[in-house]
Amino acid sequence: MSQDHESLENLLSEDRHFPPTAQFAAAANAQPDEYARADKDPLAFWDEQAKSLQWDSPWSKTLDWQSPYAKWFIGGKLNASVNALDRHVSQGRGSRVAFHFEGEPGDVRTITYAELLTEVKKAANALIELGIKAGDRVAIYMPMIPEAAVAMLACARIGAPHSVVFGGFSAEALLSRIQDADAKLVITADGGFRKGAAFALKPAVDEALKGQHNVEKVLVVQRTKQETAWTNRDIWWHEIVARQSSEHVAESFDSEHPLFILYTSGTTAKPKGIFHTTGGYLTQVAYTHKMVFDIKPETDVYWCTADVGWITGHSYIVYGPLINGATQVMYEGTPDTPHKGRIFELIAKYGVTILYTAPTLIRTWMKWGDEFPQAHDLTSLRLLGSVGEPINPEAWMWYREVIGGNRCPIVDTWWQTETGAIMISPLPGVTATKPGSAMNAVPGISAKVVDDNAVAVGNGRGGYLILDQPWPSMLRGIWGEDERYKETYWSRFDGIYFAGDGAKLDDEGAIWLLGRVDDVMNVSGHRISTTEVESALVSHESVAEAAVVGAADAMTGQAIVAFVILRGGIEHANGDELNKALRDHVAKQIGAIAKPRQILIVNELPKTRSGKIMRRLLKDVAEDRAVGDATTLADPNVMKLISEGLQSAKSED
Ligand code: WTA
């Protein structure tokens, strides 16, 4: 029977522990006293962290909290781009490499901090020439090339909030974001390289701008040199930026000056313009980047594989690492071009020491097979990170063994576009990690798991993940939609931020993320998380990836239907024997209650462009309905293939 106040059953158990080696622990940036210092006085703790930034005027008060609105470091003034660039150059670090850029076709650019600063100053001067002033919004729609970071930093330098729109989004999605933020300028490129070919971006901008908008100019980076239609609103980046002065004295902006808007790629409804400001955001991204990734800027080569179009790219490619003076790898293309070992080849080539990626890519690598990572020397790696989804224990172990050579601590980092920076994660030199758990809130952050009445659940129990204290990098609202901000995040529990995720505490109080609460299934009155059943499936030797949904069932309310991708080398079949083996495996791992009613073998799963599985569409298939709106899928054909595959499997039965 389910407990009255228990919101989620606690099913899977895991007892493997991986403490840091003594050597790693001794040299780590974050030492165990970090937690005690933060707990003693969280505001004084954040005050101390903020002091590691360069401020032009000091703040008079750390926090002004009028729930649900926070202001941090009141009255302080600073410039984000100065913190990311000028500071390093003026302190003699100008010749350090900021980016090792690798284009998909294999073209290479090495960009130092001094060069990046010059480029950003020139771009800032170009924006000024185009009439952009502090407060004006600029939309950025770019491939993964260094100019994307330059454009963001140039906007920040002159106080113009940027709104980066992921380059994979359609013209329609771009237009709605341009309209919502009322952008005055769009920065784009002719195109970029992906999957072995040039793709075009500029035509989508032209298409978008056929709609209603107040965009005056479109600034176009030349990347692919493909044929590009031109209007008198368009300006080539290389023409206007090249002739600018490389002098630009940055102005200071208020700590609460808007830094950027980033639209969440919601699976339903109109996207939300998540809005972040300057001082608090920079403080928390810099602190977490330094402590969670243990960055040693003189010696590390750090690579975050995200796109700048997502929050991970904002916080852990552009702002956090540059403020910390890190050397990074930036890669334009896809992980399987021209071969499935591309990422590993680049790790070896640049001697990458810290890799930050997503479970979707880790599981894809598992599916492709161990021979690809094994063909390259990955011994430079010393720390691995994961973000974006719950990482199944099996994928975690594979990441540790095959990529990390059993040598590297893994930091599974939980956070959101809304939180701006990492909130829950191990500290790599302190925490004994457990495969599949994000472990604990980082120092200075308060996260709890609560029941329906906002009462904290005990160890061994599941519930809703909430944040009950304001934090420096929290969103300051939804752009132009105050009511929606309150309604979306602050209404489920009065005065408490509810993140939308389910979580459980294990017997030692470590936090296990269980996916979005809307992905919870209800089987015979038991609330079971899709994540736990998926992890059980992935722990079977034949399975690379699994997605689980609850489908309406006359007997049990909902029944579990699993979509499974087999590992490389396992014969692809809807074979009865494998089906039975997998169902029994889940029953053994979790209990008979979680045994899937049906297991369907597929080749692909429907994912959003940021790699999150769209279970809603699978549920349509499982319930034999027409598949709903699939426009946010990375590959719109996937649902057709899944439905067709199942039809032919049925007719063979
Ligand atoms: C999920 C990405 C489990 C979660 C930075 C969250 C995770 C949503 C993890 C935010 C993790 C992110 N373990 N789930 N380590 N990291 N999530 O806004 O559901 O793209 O609410 O930010 O991703 O996604 P977003």
Side-chain angles (χ1 to χ4, degrees), residues 264-265 310-312 316 356 359 386-391 411-419 424 436 438 499-502 512-516 610 612:
T264 52
S265 56
W310 309 121
I311 190 68
T312 308
Y316 297 106
Y356 190 28
S386 172
V387 62
E389 275 184 290
I391 177 166
V411 287
D412 173 12
T413 62
W414 179 89
W415 58 294
Q416 306 178 297
T417 305
E418 292 86 343
T419 70
I424 302 176
D501 285 2
W512 294 72
L513 276 309
L514 297 175
R516 310 288 302 171
S610 66
K612 294 189 188 0

Side-chain angles (χ1 to χ4, degrees), residues 17-19 21 362 384 394-410 433 435:
H17 275 73
F18 295 94
T21 62
I362 298 168
L384 302 173
E394 250 4 79
W396 195 103
M397 286 304 296
W398 184 91
Y399 196 28
R400 179 181 159 86
E401 286 164 14
V402 180
I403 307 301
N406 283 319
R407 184 180 67 243
C408 308
I410 295 181
T433 54

Side-chain angles (χ1 to χ4, degrees), residues 467-504:
L467 303 165
D468 60 351
Q469 296 294 327
W471 63 100
S473 63
M474 67 189 282
L475 75 168
R476 300 304 197 254
I478 299 178
W479 190 256
E481 294 185 287
D482 243 9
E483 278 312 309
R484 194 174 176 202
Y485 170 61
K486 292 183 207 157
E487 168 65 30
T488 308
Y489 302 108
W490 303 92
S491 66
R492 176 70 184 76
F493 303 108
D494 198 29
I496 293 176
Y497 177 87
F498 172 49
D501 285 2
K504 72 176 186 193

Side-chain angles (χ1 to χ4, degrees), residues 13-21 24-25 35 291-293 382-386 391-393 395-401 406-414 424-442 506 508-512:
S13 65
E14 170 66 62
D15 30 54
R16 290 170 285 194
H17 275 73
F18 295 94
T21 62
F24 194 104
Y35 291 106
M291 296 305 183
V292 172
F293 298 108
R382 67 177 194 92
L383 177 69
L384 302 173
S386 172
I391 177 166
N392 327 98
W396 195 103
M397 286 304 296
W398 184 91
Y399 196 28
R400 179 181 159 86
E401 286 164 14
N406 283 319
R407 184 180 67 243
C408 308
I410 295 181
V411 287
D412 173 12
T413 62
W414 179 89
I424 302 176
S425 168
L427 291 180
V430 178
T431 315
T433 54
K434 304 178 187 191
S437 171
M439 302 302 296
N440 306 108
V442 299
D506 68 15
E508 294 166 328
I511 300 170
W512 294 72

